[in-house]
Amino acid sequence: MTLWTSAEIAAATNGQANQDFTVTGVTFDSREVGPGDLFLALTGEETDGHRFLGGAFANGAAGAVTSQSVTYPSVQVDNTMIALEDLGCAARARVDATIIGVTGSVGKTGTKEALAAALNRAHPGRVHWSVKSYNNHTGVPLSLARMPRETRFGVFEMGMNHAGELSVLTGMVRPHIAIVTAIAPAHTAFFSGEEAIADAKGEIFQGLEPGGTAIVPFDSPHRDRLLAAAQPYAGRIVTFGSGAGADVRAVETMRVESGGTFVTARVHDRELSFTIAHPGAHWVSNALAVLAAVNDAGGDLGLAGLALADMAGLPGRGQRFLARVPGGEALVIDESYNANPSSMRATLAVIAQEDRRRIAVLGGMRELGDDSAAYHAALVEPIDEAGISHAILVGAEMVPLARALEGRVDFVHVPDAAAAKARLIDVLAPGDAVLIKGSNGIGLSAVVAALKAPAMAGTGD
């Protein structure tokens, strides 16, 4: 199906088309170009997308947006980054859809995926959502630009690491419903404290459409701050959590044999029982936010519950798989995409539920500023509580935790992901459970990739 015509692209970006063409997708990464795509030749300090035009068209691009005159089918503009933003805003303007924005220090990608799955259950093929973690100044307009005009629901993740960033992103997305999942220490190097993080996350409400709904975590110590941020912009505020008084509340929870959680929830004046495939209290909170949004959007709560039961883990964000090891298999919990103190505690609590030997590969948590050493050292408590038999600490940031663990837990401290992989292969045994978690820059996804390989290094294959 046609996503954009060259005339529509030119009108949206105030550009000039050199010929007629149509596209079925949009990307600014030439490696991701497929047949029929539009390639945006973005320019930056370190690269220039115009260098990759040949490769993009060799991969099947149907057109490009450029700031130079080229012979390929294209729309020429003054600035390709501004053109991407303009195309995203044009996509948002042309749809008759309910738009939902999601942000938070933790849980935003999982909540976005669960919400999209819940809505898609009732409206298959009519839901559009951000892929991966495309939640920044390039990812959000790209996700918008990819939205088909027939979309019924749009779900967009928005992130930030500085004040003011979310106000710009939410102004593009213009959500009818805006969710803050949770407030936790993350990117604290750029903020004076959690209150400042809450204020920055609360910027998402500034983009609400008139009469829109703000969804706020009831149990958060920053609830009142978020409520105050929402009140000038929201026509309606809905809270979710476990505390008495939450509009969408977990009345009862129970761990099920599969590792997930059976939940009885009250959604305003309705009661609903459902199972969440993902384990952990943090996923109960995510699910309540999903139900709050589905209900406010006029969706089907029963089908939303079924979608939550069927959800598989995302790579880097809770995906579980069995890895081949000499003599058998070991359970791997892949949380390698990112980490902050709150998410570290939550995922260590998840592996604590495994009735087997527990190993943790923990990478440094970045962008924590002056309090970084204290945050890392404080992980000794959840490691103890999780009953970790062996910990592999990765990166220079983990020095304070290594000192705190002396004499308490069997551990090694290694410099990088390659050394972590070598150590893990030495100690991992059949029946073990291993949690792999750290900031993305530590590179623990390489350890996960090695465990997914048909024949792990060191197994003799």
Side-chain angles (χ1 to χ4, degrees):
M1 296 176 63
T2 297
L3 182 63
W4 295 99
T5 67
S6 54
E8 290 170 336
I9 297 166
T13 63
N14 196 29
Q16 183 67 46
N18 64 4
Q19 59 184 278
D20 291 336
F21 59 87
T22 63
V23 300
T24 56
V26 181
T27 186
F28 51 67
D29 187 337
S30 62
R31 296 165 298 182
E32 293 183 356
V33 170
D37 280 349
L38 175 71
F39 173 63
L40 288 116
L42 301 186
T43 58
E45 294 180 0
E46 298 181 1
T47 188
D48 182 350
H50 295 84
R51 293 169 44 208
F52 306 104
L53 282 165
F57 279 91
N59 288 338
V65 174
T66 69
S67 58
Q68 303 171 9
S69 177
V70 298
T71 57
Y72 299 108
S74 63
V75 173
Q76 186 175 346
V77 299
D78 291 334
N79 183 301
T80 51
M81 183 63 224
I82 292 174
L84 172 60
E85 295 171 355
D86 289 341
L87 198 62
C89 290
R92 171 65 183 90
R94 74 181 181 179
V95 297
D96 180 19
T98 298
I99 304 297
I100 304 170
V102 182
T103 194
S105 302
V106 291
K108 55 185 175 290
T109 299
T111 299
K112 175 257 299 181
E113 292 288 330
L115 180 52
L119 294 169
N120 200 54
R121 193 84 173 214
H123 303 273
R126 301 289 305 281
V127 182
H128 174 76
W129 64 97
S130 312
V131 299
K132 302 179 183 177
S133 292
Y134 282 8
N135 61 21
N136 63 6
H137 67 289
T138 54
V140 169
L142 176 65
S143 296
L144 284 166
R146 290 172 165 177
M147 181 164 53
R149 67 194 81 221
E150 301 84 6
T151 297
R152 176 67 184 84
F153 294 97
V155 186
F156 296 92
E157 177 182 343
M158 288 174 267
M160 62 88 204
N161 55 21
H162 290 84
E165 290 178 340
L166 264 179
S167 63
V168 174
L169 298 180
T170 193
M172 295 183 202
V173 175
R174 292 168 35 222
H176 298 96
I177 301 169
I179 302 170
V180 175
T181 58
I183 303 298
H187 310 298
T188 53
F190 309 118
F191 294 96
S192 59
E194 280 192 31
E195 293 83 1
I197 294 172
D199 291 341
K201 293 297 185 183
E203 292 174 14
I204 192 174
F205 303 128
Q206 296 174 15
L208 276 170
E209 289 287 86
T213 299
I215 298 179
V216 173
F218 183 85
D219 303 324
S220 172
H222 307 290
R223 177 190 66 206
D224 292 344
R225 204 173 191 94
L226 292 171
L227 292 174
Q231 282 167 353
Y233 306 101
R236 168 178 162 89
I237 299 176
V238 176
T239 59
F240 67 94
S242 298
D247 298 312
V248 179
R249 183 166 69 94
V251 177
E252 186 177 8
T253 63
M254 180 177 64
R255 184 170 182 260
V256 296
E257 188 175 344
S258 63
T261 307
F262 180 78
V263 181
T264 298
R266 181 164 290 279
V267 182
H268 301 287
D269 58 349
R270 298 177 60 186
E271 195 164 282
L272 175 72
S273 294
F274 60 98
T275 299
I276 307 170
H278 297 287
H282 58 300
W283 259 104
V284 174
S285 181
N286 292 348
L288 295 173
V290 167
L291 294 181
V294 169
N295 184 71
D296 202 79
D300 189 311
L301 289 174
L303 290 178
L306 292 175
L308 289 165
D310 288 345
M311 272 201 72
L314 301 171
R317 299 181 182 276
Q319 185 178 70
R320 293 176 166 228
F321 63 92
L322 294 175
R324 285 179 52 195
V325 298
E329 294 177 322
L331 172 67
V332 180
I333 303 173
D334 174 16
E335 288 278 358
S336 60
Y337 182 78
N338 219 336
N340 60 47
S342 178
S343 64
M344 278 284 199
R345 286 179 174 270
T347 50
L348 282 164
V350 168
I351 196 173
Q353 299 174 3
E354 296 298 327
D355 187 17
R356 56 179 86 194
R357 189 173 77 128
R358 302 163 203 141
I359 297 171
V361 180
L362 305 178
M365 302 177 291
R366 295 188 168 173
E367 296 185 353
L368 292 180
D370 293 340
D371 295 325
S372 177
Y375 281 127
H376 283 86
L379 292 178
V380 67
E381 179 185 342
I383 288 172
D384 276 348
E385 293 174 351
I388 299 299
S389 298
H390 183 73
I392 302 173
L393 311 182
V394 190
E397 297 90 346
M398 281 296 183
V399 168
L401 178 57
R403 291 172 179 158
L405 285 177
E406 287 285 357
R408 301 172 68 111
V409 174
D410 181 36
F411 76 93
V412 294
H413 183 206
V414 298
D416 53 34
K421 170 187 156 186
R423 176 63 179 178
L424 181 60
I425 288 172
D426 282 344
V427 301
L428 198 59
D432 286 350
V434 56
L435 168 67
I436 302 175
K437 187 166 183 66
S439 285
N440 195 37
I442 302 295
L444 295 184
S445 59
V447 179
V448 175
L451 294 172
K452 284 184 174 180
M456 283 175 50
T459 63
D461 294 321

